[in-house]
Amino acid sequence: MPHYREVLYRSYSENLGRAPDEADERPDSSSFEYLRELLPEDRGAAIADLGCGMGEWLAWMQGLGYTNLLGIDIAVDELAACPDVPTLEGDIVEVLEKNKATFDLFHAKDIFEHLQKQETVDLLLSSQKALRPGGLFLISTFNGQAPFADTTFRGDYSHESSFTPTSMAQVLRATGFEVVFVRGIHSTPDSPSGKARRLIWKAASFVWEKLIVSRHGRGGDNPGVDAFSVAPDLLALARRPK
């Protein structure tokens, strides 16, 4: 019998009911604008998108003038829709293990929730070795302590894990990274509907955050970590020590 991942990742987006037929139907790239200030100034920096999917982020990076891009994914059908950048189909850890101290920046959006605990550690350890000293890792995933996080987790049968700001910082530090920050985000397009979604979430999440604080208190020292965020997503920035 085929492995469950082989079954689920074959035509992954189509099976979720969201495969675009045309490139211009991809999500609005304005939803990535919150990352612009975190990108390297050097447009020739070596950058890899881990779990690149259909290449929305890579297309956005191309539009900003970055030229040394690579997409890596295990889903062949996703890569077929990728923009005109080099791509590799295969296991991300295996690819990174063959490219020591090669990259300046990794980006990984919505892949950590698909990894089991050992796989998360393996990926982070391999990523640190594949980054040059001082290289950065941008990670985004859904926030496991946000309202309806369980709905998000169970909404995709391939999900394996969830993270809070605290647990994300924990595993990053344990695998040798310096945590620059872990914070909550709500990345939506700058369309009227996207702005409305952010406003509604901000208003509705006020009580939820107060409940988390009342449960855990605000004690402890966790620099750079927004431990009580209830935003729907997390953004982490980590650095390989120099």
Side-chain angles (χ1 to χ4, degrees):
M1 300 293 286
H3 191 274
Y4 78 97
R5 281 183 171 153
E6 179 185 346
V7 174
L8 292 172
Y9 292 141
R10 187 190 308 135
S11 303
Y12 173 73
S13 290
E14 182 179 354
N15 291 333
L16 277 174
R18 65 183 189 199
D21 295 323
E22 303 293 340
D24 60 7
E25 292 179 2
R26 292 187 183 122
D28 185 347
S29 62
S30 67
S31 61
F32 300 123
E33 285 296 320
Y34 68 97
L35 296 175
R36 188 189 287 260
E37 64 179 0
L38 304 175
L39 300 176
E41 293 183 5
D42 180 9
R43 292 302 196 263
I47 299 171
D49 192 12
L50 311 183
C52 62
M54 290 181 285
E56 296 93 342
W57 187 78
L58 290 168
W60 177 70
M61 291 289 285
Q62 281 183 318
L64 295 179
Y66 289 91
T67 58
N68 192 4
L69 301 170
L70 175 68
I72 308 171
D73 206 297
I74 198 170
V76 178
D77 287 0
E78 303 286 294
L79 291 175
C82 237
D84 187 21
V85 298
T87 59
L88 289 172
E89 183 270 319
D91 182 89
I92 295 171
V93 170
E94 293 178 3
V95 173
L96 298 183
E97 286 291 327
K98 297 175 183 177
N99 292 274
K100 304 294 176 63
T102 300
F103 297 94
D104 300 296
L105 174 68
F106 287 138
H107 172 259
K109 176 176 170 56
D110 298 339
I111 68 166
F112 274 78
E113 60 264 40
H114 297 272
L115 304 177
Q116 297 169 359
K117 290 186 177 182
Q118 185 62 53
E119 293 171 325
T120 297
V121 171
D122 290 345
L123 175 58
L124 289 171
L125 291 174
S126 297
S127 297
Q128 199 204 133
K129 289 185 288 186
L131 283 168
R132 296 187 176 113
L136 297 173
F137 199 162
L138 270 171
I139 299 167
S140 60
T141 183
F142 74 90
N143 184 357
Q145 68 185 19
F148 310 111
D150 190 61
T151 302
T152 302
F153 179 77
R154 298 180 187 281
D156 184 337
Y157 196 66
S158 64
H159 285 170
E160 300 278 2
S161 302
S162 66
F163 298 84
T164 69
T166 301
S167 64
M168 176 59 74
Q170 175 191 18
V171 72
L172 286 169
R173 293 187 183 118
T175 52
F177 280 95
E178 297 174 351
V179 174
V180 180
F181 64 73
V182 183
R183 61 194 185 205
I185 57 170
H186 192 179
S187 57
T188 63
D190 284 331
S191 62
S193 62
K195 293 177 181 178
R197 287 163 54 197
R198 289 197 298 268
L199 184 61
I200 292 170
W201 190 276
K202 183 177 181 179
S205 61
F206 176 79
V207 173
W208 192 270
E209 181 175 342
K210 296 300 181 185
L211 288 172
I212 291 177
V213 173
S214 69
R215 169 63 177 87
H216 296 288
R218 287 195 178 274
D221 184 19
N222 206 347
V225 179
D226 186 7
F228 300 102
S229 173
V230 295
D233 300 305
L234 295 179
L235 177 66
L237 179 63
R239 179 188 294 114
R240 176 182 173 176
K242 293 183 178 179

